[in-house]
Amino acid sequence: MAHYITDECISCGACTAECPVDAIHEGDGKYEIDPDTCIDCGACEAVCPTGAIKAE
């Protein structure tokens, strides 16, 4: 089960550096997590300054 990024995302990019499988990419107005690549490790969730990353 993958994580996802909510509208609280401020596009700071902190999560991209933490993702060990490069599943996070800049999308339309916010970052997005590729659910097929995400290994559900939670590393991105821990570094998000706005709490925009949630577990599904």
Side-chain angles (χ1 to χ4, degrees):
M1 195 169 289
H3 280 70
Y4 67 97
I5 300 177
T6 67
D7 289 338
E8 285 86 28
C9 176
I10 58 172
S11 297
C12 68
C15 56
T16 59
E18 292 299 314
C19 183
V21 293
D22 197 30
I24 305 172
H25 302 280
E26 196 166 1
D28 188 27
K30 66 176 183 173
Y31 279 78
E32 297 174 352
I33 299 174
D34 179 356
D36 295 327
T37 306
C38 179
I39 59 172
D40 204 31
C41 68
C44 57
E45 187 176 11
V47 299
C48 181
T50 63
I53 301 174
K54 311 286 183 196
E56 270 187 353

